[in-house]
């Protein structure tokens, strides 16, 4: 394998004080190769957005390490984060929240370039080129966010994210707030940009159909931990963790496989302040047995790069 672009090892993020701290991210290890799209799925509250913010170093990890492009960036602070901010960008669910309503579209896209110190004329050309590249003609530069549709605003947010030529874009539910008719267009745009610029994405979504469509590899998050990773097609065909099976069986299928087990998640996940001992999924797992309460299952290798943290996997 080529050297990873991003490498997380044992990353931890807690909110609040022990013993009642929320264990939002609890020992996550994950790698993303240059140009790779890794989908991050899991129920609401499983820690996906927190992990995305840690990756972009908008939050500081409490433990573990984060390497980016061969450098340890775990403890980078303040000005030293500048170059990293250019390399790792974020696109959020709600583009309206990430755009200043008083700034024109042109100014929003110019914002990161101004900080970079590029001369004005070059910046203007680059803004026009970026807007064009995301499918918004030059006329958009003078418009304001409230004059745009949700899809157009997300295109502006994407243009802005690409302004400094990042290597990794963390997309946190980038199409979840968009009309279904617009989603495919924005997903197509993200795919085109990836191909054109060799971008890697950490693509966070609770929507498994979207992740199936965009991700080379998937990581399944449950209560602050990654419980399964693997090539997307393989995980879909042969999920190794009961939690992944439950998530997948909740997706409506056009052609249900005859005899395929259906497994539904009942009730809310346990509190991230006081997760269950052993396997954190055991209180909702139909396959749980005595050892699951005492053993914290290590990742089991299932071949072809697939791993699942379940005592019954393999
Ligand atoms: P997801 O994106 O998967 O829905 P989040 O990362 O947003 O999950 O949240 C994970 C857990 O961390 C949740 O229990 C959430 O309430 C908690 N959390 C997230 N951000 C904060 C914060 N700034 N302060 C306190 N708790 C937080
Ligand atoms: Mg989230």
């Amino acid at each position: 394998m080529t050297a990873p672009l991003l490498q997380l090892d044992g990353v931890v993020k807690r909110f609040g004080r022990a013993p009642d701290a929320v264990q939002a991210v609890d020992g996550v290890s994950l790698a993303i190769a240059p140009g790779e799209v890794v989908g991050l799925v899991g129920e609401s509250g499983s820690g996906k957005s927190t992990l995305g913010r840690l990756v972009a170093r908008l939050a500081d990890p409490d433990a573990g390490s984060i390497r980016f492009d061969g450098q340890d960036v775990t403890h980078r602070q303040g000005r030293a984060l500048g170059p990293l901010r250019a390399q790792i960008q974020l696109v959020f669910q709600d583009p309206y929240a990430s755009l200043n309503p008083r700034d024109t579209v042109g100014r929003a896209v110019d914002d990161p370039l101004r900080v970079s110190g590029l001369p004005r004329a070059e910046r203007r050309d680059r803004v026009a080129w970026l807007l064009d590249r995301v499918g918004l003609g030059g006329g958009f530069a003078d418009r304001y966010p409230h004059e745009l549709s949700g899809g157009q605003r997300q295109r502006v947010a994407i243009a802005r994210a690409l302004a400094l030529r990042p290597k990794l874009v963390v997309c946190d539910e980038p199409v979840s707030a968009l009309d279904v008719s617009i989603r495919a267009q924005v997903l197509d745009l993200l795919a085109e940009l990836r191909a054109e610029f060799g971008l890697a994405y950490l693509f966070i979504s609770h929507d498994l159909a979207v992740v199936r469509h965009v991700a080379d590899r998937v990581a399944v998050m449950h209560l602050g931990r990654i419980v399964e990773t693997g090539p997307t097609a393989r995980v879909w065909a042969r999920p190794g963790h009961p939690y992944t099976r439950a998530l997948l069986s909740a997706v409506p299928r056009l052609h249900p496989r005859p005899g395929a087990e259906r497994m539904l998640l009942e009730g809310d996940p346990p509190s991230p302040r006081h997760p269950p001992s052993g396997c954190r999924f055991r209180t909702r797992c139909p396959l749980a047995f005595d050892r699951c309460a005492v053993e914290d299952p290590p990742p089991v290798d299932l071949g072809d790069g697939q791993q699942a943290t379940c005592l019954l996997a393999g």
Side-chain angles (χ1 to χ4, degrees):
M1 175 172 161
T2 47
L5 177 64
L6 176 79
Q7 173 96 52
L8 307 179
D9 275 301
V11 169
V12 171
K13 182 69 185 178
R14 302 206 163 94
F15 295 108
R17 284 175 187 277
D20 292 319
V22 172
Q23 302 179 23
V25 172
D26 194 60
V28 164
S29 300
L30 182 70
I32 301 181
E36 186 180 38
V37 178
V38 173
L40 183 63
V41 302
E43 289 162 292
S44 174
S46 56
K48 305 182 299 297
S49 292
T50 302
L51 190 62
R53 291 174 54 80
L54 288 165
V55 164
R57 287 303 327 277
L58 294 175
D60 296 324
D62 294 317
S65 72
I66 303 176
R67 293 182 69 81
F68 183 78
D69 220 2
Q71 294 188 29
D72 188 336
V73 298
T74 318
H75 302 293
R76 275 215 194 153
Q77 294 292 341
R79 288 177 65 87
L81 275 172
L84 195 67
R85 295 253 186 273
Q87 301 277 295
I88 308 179
Q89 292 284 321
L90 266 131
V91 172
F92 296 100
Q93 172 170 353
D94 179 6
Y96 208 58
S98 58
L99 296 173
N100 184 338
R102 289 173 213 269
D103 281 353
T104 60
V105 163
R107 189 168 170 99
V109 178
D110 184 46
D111 207 32
L113 295 172
R114 217 167 29 233
V115 177
S116 79
L118 223 59
R120 182 182 291 264
E122 261 177 63
R123 278 170 19 214
R124 202 176 40 234
D125 288 351
R126 187 146 175 83
V127 168
W129 181 84
L130 282 161
L131 287 176
D132 186 58
R133 194 59 207 77
V134 298
L136 300 172
F140 277 86
D142 296 324
R143 294 169 71 176
Y144 286 87
H146 74 266
E147 300 176 289
L148 310 184
S149 70
Q152 289 168 337
R153 281 199 288 265
Q154 197 58 297
R155 288 173 191 270
V156 175
I158 292 168
R160 186 180 148 101
L162 294 187
L164 296 176
R165 306 175 193 266
K167 291 183 177 159
L168 174 65
V169 182
V170 176
C171 302
D172 192 351
E173 306 276 2
V175 298
S176 303
L178 303 179
D179 287 345
V180 173
S181 57
I182 307 294
R183 277 184 200 174
Q185 297 171 15
V186 173
L187 291 174
D188 285 348
L189 173 64
L190 287 170
E192 281 172 32
L193 296 170
R194 173 212 185 177
E196 187 169 339
F197 302 111
L199 297 170
Y201 294 139
L202 177 62
F203 193 98
I204 302 173
S205 178
H206 69 280
D207 186 334
L208 287 118
V210 167
V211 170
R212 174 75 181 91
H213 183 66
V214 303
D216 304 314
R217 220 149 51 79
V218 68
V220 182
M221 200 162 181
H222 176 265
L223 269 188
R225 297 202 171 151
I226 305 284
V227 297
E228 177 154 12
T229 54
T232 311
R234 194 181 155 104
V235 170
W236 255 245
R238 220 148 57 82
H241 198 287
Y243 179 63
T244 313
R245 284 204 281 283
L247 286 181
L248 286 171
S249 75
V251 180
R253 277 176 180 276
L254 205 50
H255 305 290
R257 281 172 298 177
E261 55 182 317
R262 252 182 101 70
M263 189 165 128
L264 292 179
L265 282 172
E266 281 169 23
D268 293 329
S271 163
R273 291 179 194 276
H274 304 284
S277 64
C279 171
R280 294 181 168 194
F281 185 55
R282 70 177 166 84
T283 55
R284 292 192 294 166
C285 181
L287 307 177
F289 60 111
D290 52 359
R291 275 172 60 205
C292 302
V294 287
E295 289 178 41
D296 198 354
V300 175
D301 223 318
L302 301 175
D304 286 340
Q306 185 182 14
Q307 291 190 326
T309 59
C310 174
L311 293 177
L312 293 173

